[in-house]
Amino acid sequence: MWAYAVGFTVLPHVGGFLGWFLNRKEIPAWYEKLKKPSWCPSRRMFPVAWTMLYTGMGYASYLVWNDLGGCSSKAIVPLGLYGAQLALNWAWPPLFFGARNLNMWPRLGPGVLGKMAEKQEEPSNAQNGEPDNAEEGEGKKKKVKREDLPPFEIVTGERLPANFFKFQFRNVEYSSGRNKTFLCYVVETQGKEAATSRGYLEDEHAAAHAEMAFFNTILPTCQAGARHDVTWYVSSSPCVTCAQRICEALRKNKALRLTIMVGRLFMWEEPEMQAALRSMKEAGCKLRIMKPQDFEYVWKNFVEQEEGEEAKSFVPWEDIQENFQYYEEKLAEILH
């Protein structure tokens, strides 16, 4: 009878594996860019949770089958209901991830859905490193409906708020709630007239990519035909799509030199992401992990201070050096 027990237990895992395999590319390219609540668990928890759930479901179905005498008339209804829910369970990942259909999000009730909708329409201050009750200007931001927003928007400027930097750039291993990309850039142009420009770009909506916005809006304003030495200080490394765009830009423009300093590695465990990082190196991009000194440089050159106050010195967080070494080792393993 052990063969039946194993078969029933393994069966749910088959559909679960196929769902992951078919949609594995959508996680780094789409899902991780969505704005999610701060309490959203790390994606590392999902394989563990679903392994336990599928194992429990499968073995429970074996117990029902065994206690009711196999495929008897008594077992038809409970096993039929089990099979129906298992089929729906398997169908959900392709519909949610493959079709990118947010309407497939589980129905949690009007109260919870209302709060989550507000998070999608207006990112909370806590996600940006501010208290939830922080006021902006003379009052809190006016809520706008999702349909009133453009497909995506890139926020640009010379300096970003200190609270944004402290939260978004922190080089933590688990980046829950940090769903934006903050990109600070320095462009040194060596042409007829030497020039240096700097600023920062920020993702405002899920479809936006600050890396792509740099190539579409910032680089075209620089001198044509001149050599450009570009340095980015980014909260996390580029996704697969942006990595491909970076490689294309470097191959087309031989006068472009790009160095990317990142606070965290984005989805570095995924084979597609590791391949994308290696392709960036092959295309000539220099990819580095930000050291404590680099965070201090960003603080001094890209973070705004309160008006009327003296410039505050950079205060490193407790695990900044440890996390830098962790990511530096991971990047070295990937690139070599």
Side-chain angles (χ1 to χ4, degrees):
M1 298 295 289
W2 65 267
Y4 289 102
V6 172
F8 275 93
T9 303
V10 171
L11 178 61
H13 294 278
V14 175
F17 174 79
L18 290 176
W20 167 83
F21 181 79
L22 293 174
N23 300 285
R24 66 193 187 283
K25 295 183 179 180
E26 300 299 332
I27 296 176
W30 174 69
Y31 176 72
E32 284 298 321
K33 283 291 184 179
L34 294 176
K35 292 183 179 68
K36 298 180 284 293
S38 59
W39 44 261
C40 182
S42 167
R43 62 185 184 84
R44 293 186 177 184
M45 297 297 297
F46 287 95
V48 177
W50 279 109
T51 298
M52 296 173 64
L53 287 170
Y54 279 141
T55 300
M57 290 163 53
Y59 188 70
S61 67
Y62 163 73
L63 294 178
V64 172
W65 176 84
N66 186 54
D67 290 346
L68 296 181
C71 298
S72 63
S73 57
K74 294 181 180 180
I76 291 178
V77 173
L79 291 181
L81 293 173
Y82 165 73
Q85 71 83 26
L86 188 60
L88 291 173
N89 187 297
W90 289 346
W92 183 81
L95 292 173
F96 180 77
F97 291 101
R100 302 186 179 186
N101 187 353
L102 293 176
N103 291 326
M104 294 303 297
W105 185 265
R107 303 302 182 186
L108 301 177
V112 176
L113 285 176
K115 292 180 180 179
M116 293 181 66
E118 290 180 6
K119 286 181 176 292
Q120 288 291 330
E121 293 163 3
E122 180 184 22
S124 69
N125 290 326
Q127 285 187 333
N128 292 325
E130 295 180 299
D132 282 331
N133 61 354
E135 293 187 358
E136 300 183 16
E138 298 180 355
K140 294 183 179 179
K141 286 183 178 180
K142 181 180 178 182
K143 288 184 174 63
V144 293
K145 295 181 180 179
R146 169 64 76 177
E147 56 266 29
D148 294 335
L149 296 172
F152 68 87
E153 178 183 350
I154 296 293
V155 176
T156 62
E158 295 182 359
R159 290 181 177 266
L160 64 152
N163 287 333
F164 284 28
F165 168 80
K166 291 177 182 179
F167 182 75
Q168 295 287 354
F169 270 86
R170 187 159 181 166
N171 58 350
V172 292
E173 180 179 357
Y174 302 105
S175 55
S176 178
R178 296 170 173 84
N179 303 311
K180 292 185 178 183
T181 299
F182 282 76
L183 187 156
C184 302
Y185 63 86
V186 178
V187 181
E188 296 178 342
T189 302
Q190 300 177 13
K192 294 181 180 180
E193 296 181 3
T196 301
S197 61
R198 66 179 69 235
Y200 89 95
L201 300 167
E202 168 195 344
D203 291 352
E204 181 65 20
H205 303 304
H209 295 260
E211 297 92 338
M212 291 185 178
F214 177 86
F215 291 116
N216 294 334
T217 62
I218 304 300
L219 193 60
T221 62
C222 301
Q223 291 183 38
R227 173 175 172 174
H228 304 295
D229 292 325
V230 179
T231 303
W232 290 351
Y233 298 89
V234 196
S235 53
S236 64
S237 58
C239 67
V240 173
T241 303
C242 288
Q244 294 172 348
R245 177 71 176 86
I246 291 170
C247 292
E248 293 173 1
L250 290 173
R251 293 189 180 107
K252 290 180 180 179
N253 188 351
K254 299 300 182 181
L256 176 63
R257 301 290 184 270
L258 178 61
T259 300
I260 304 179
M261 314 291 292
V262 300
R264 305 183 301 274
L265 289 178
F266 173 70
M267 298 287 291
W268 63 266
E269 306 100 323
E270 298 295 332
E272 293 86 356
M273 193 67 256
Q274 294 181 8
L277 294 176
R278 286 191 290 268
S279 66
M280 288 169 56
K281 178 184 177 182
E282 294 171 359
C285 176
K286 296 180 180 179
L287 188 62
R288 304 285 188 270
I289 303 298
M290 289 178 65
K291 301 177 181 179
Q293 301 93 310
D294 298 315
F295 289 104
E296 183 176 11
Y297 174 83
V298 173
W299 174 265
K300 291 180 177 179
N301 293 276
F302 294 97
V303 176
E304 63 186 16
Q305 302 292 332
E306 297 278 343
E307 291 187 8
E309 291 187 3
E310 295 183 3
K312 297 179 180 179
S313 60
F314 172 67
V315 180
W317 42 91
E318 182 179 356
D319 51 0
I320 187 172
Q321 179 65 27
E322 178 183 347
N323 291 345
F324 156 68
Q325 292 174 343
Y326 170 82
Y327 278 120
E328 188 179 48
E329 292 175 1
K330 296 303 178 185
L331 181 61
E333 293 174 3
I334 294 171
L335 298 182
H336 295 89

